[in-house]
Amino acid sequence: MDNVQGKLIIIGGAVDKGSFTEGTYDLNVANNLNFFETGILKRIIKESKYQENSRIEVITTASIIPLEVGAEYVKAFEYLNAKNVGLLHIGRREQTTDPDVLKRIQAADVVMFTGGDQLRLTSILGGTKLHDIILDKYQNEEFIYAGTSAGAAAASNNMIYQGSSQEALLKGEVKITSGLSLIQNVIIDTHFVQRGRMGRLFQAVVGNPRILGIGLGEDTGLLITNDSNMEAIGSGLVILVDGRSIMDTNLTQVELGKPISINNMIVHVMSMFDTYDLKNHKMEIHNSQYFSALDIPVELNDNSIEGLE
């Protein structure tokens, strides 16, 4: 997309709220939202059009426990002095045509998609009028799409929806489908460091090296502006997997279920305040150990070299 006016905030999540791909449902949501209160939710408010007065709609479509999850997000936003927070439990496709729901989405400055099952999210919202409104607002307005866990994974045009961490570098173990397509040429995985999902992202990228793999750790996210400028936020790590320099692989030669080999894949690790230019594929480390030495010329003294002989 060109001249994108909106912002994208994708978050690695804390614990899963009901994804069938994980099989563990942690219902203690309140304890798992604590990390938002000191960082990422506050940043969402700060980046929004009217800050504490912005209209925020929390959408729980991905979750199988929407009432509990939604209530905790509303509580967390209000704790941070957000004064205009709504909650939408959209669990069926027919609800996406409800005039009141569409009116609320049209009026929102921020939509916040909770965690859960990203395939549930895309299968309910994909191709609907509600989806079209969100895409249009992101393209043309000072609007924020924020998503954690499933909400983050679904933001790109390519979406990982299934694949075990332990067997992710076996051909065919990672399942990919279409996401909500707010951002192109990336693929996003969440709970990344804690659940050992490096192999999942490797397999996703080797199948199409044009796309950049983004692995979001827990308590970690990316703020993406102008559809290309990415800043790491939160306390954890963002892993970027760049496949454009791959020299060789056995991907097409091995049978399903067999290990995949990859030669010359590039990996970057980002932490808070680091930035990455998605268009030019350049990363800058905010607190580089070499920053103070960048403008100091290298001087070699031949005499000193001779003295070492």
Side-chain angles (χ1 to χ4, degrees):
M1 297 182 189
D2 296 324
N3 301 315
V4 171
Q5 301 299 306
K7 300 173 183 178
L8 189 64
I9 298 179
I10 50 176
I11 308 158
V15 297
D16 199 291
K17 307 303 190 301
S19 168
F20 74 91
T21 66
E22 296 299 330
T24 57
Y25 305 152
D26 189 331
L27 303 183
N28 194 12
V29 179
N31 291 341
N32 299 317
L33 286 178
N34 290 339
F35 74 100
F36 285 129
E37 298 181 359
T38 58
I40 297 176
L41 278 198
K42 186 178 292 185
R43 184 66 181 269
I44 292 172
I45 295 170
K46 180 181 178 181
E47 293 289 337
S48 65
K49 185 174 183 179
Y50 301 112
Q51 298 191 352
E52 293 178 355
N53 294 311
S54 292
R55 178 61 182 178
I56 300 170
E57 294 286 1
V58 176
I59 303 176
T60 60
T61 303
S63 180
I64 62 168
I65 48 171
L67 297 178
E68 185 170 5
V69 170
E72 291 299 332
Y73 275 93
V74 170
K75 186 189 302 182
F77 273 119
E78 291 178 344
Y79 177 82
L80 295 171
N81 298 315
K83 300 176 174 62
N84 194 5
V85 184
L87 185 57
L88 285 170
H89 299 304
I90 302 171
R92 301 187 308 276
R93 280 184 70 85
E94 59 260 34
Q95 291 175 293
T96 64
T97 61
D98 186 310
D100 291 334
V101 170
L102 296 179
K103 184 177 180 180
R104 286 174 60 174
I105 295 297
Q106 190 67 65
D109 302 300
V110 179
V111 292
M112 173 75 199
F113 284 91
T114 69
D117 177 358
Q118 53 265 41
L119 192 58
R120 175 177 168 83
L121 177 58
T122 57
S123 64
I124 291 174
L125 300 186
T128 65
K129 178 65 174 177
L130 187 151
H131 184 194
D132 290 341
I133 291 173
I134 289 174
L135 290 174
D136 182 71
K137 287 174 69 69
Y138 178 67
Q139 177 76 30
N140 299 305
E141 299 181 21
E142 192 174 342
F143 170 77
I144 292 177
Y145 173 106
T148 183
S149 188
S156 56
N157 56 323
N158 302 288
M159 181 183 80
I160 296 173
Y161 71 91
Q162 193 171 11
S164 66
S165 301
Q166 293 79 12
E167 299 178 337
L169 263 180
L170 302 182
K171 182 176 178 179
E173 288 296 327
V174 175
K175 305 299 190 296
I176 298 173
T177 188
S178 299
L180 297 177
S181 297
L182 281 93
I183 185 168
Q184 312 296 312
N185 297 323
V186 303
I187 192 162
I188 302 159
D189 209 352
T190 58
H191 304 279
F192 192 71
V193 178
Q194 291 80 356
R195 298 186 184 175
R197 289 178 168 174
M198 183 73 77
R200 291 196 352 169
L201 210 52
F202 282 175
Q203 182 167 167
V205 171
V206 75
N208 184 357
R210 175 183 175 84
I211 62 175
L212 180 75
I214 299 175
L216 300 171
E218 295 178 2
D219 191 13
T220 308
L222 279 177
L223 166 64
I224 304 174
T225 55
N226 298 320
D227 205 39
S228 63
N229 301 322
M230 308 195 305
E231 177 192 341
I233 57 177
S235 66
L237 299 176
V238 178
I239 310 296
L240 303 180
V241 179
D242 185 350
R244 292 174 305 133
S245 298
I246 289 174
M247 299 298 294
D248 197 6
T249 179
N250 63 352
L251 180 64
T252 63
Q253 302 302 109
V254 297
E255 298 177 358
L256 289 175
K258 297 299 183 181
I260 299 170
S261 302
I262 307 168
N263 178 16
N264 208 48
M265 181 173 279
I266 296 174
V267 176
H268 306 283
V269 181
M270 300 175 70
S271 59
M272 189 183 297
F273 304 127
D274 293 346
T275 60
Y276 188 87
D277 183 336
L278 189 57
K279 289 183 179 177
N280 296 309
H281 293 278
K282 291 184 178 180
M283 177 178 165
E284 290 191 9
I285 295 178
H286 171 72
N287 195 26
S288 169
Q289 67 183 28
Y290 301 121
F291 179 76
S292 61
L294 291 178
D295 298 322
I296 301 175
V298 175
E299 295 184 2
L300 295 177
N301 185 322
D302 290 340
N303 292 331
S304 64
I305 295 174
E306 290 175 0
L308 293 176
E309 294 179 352

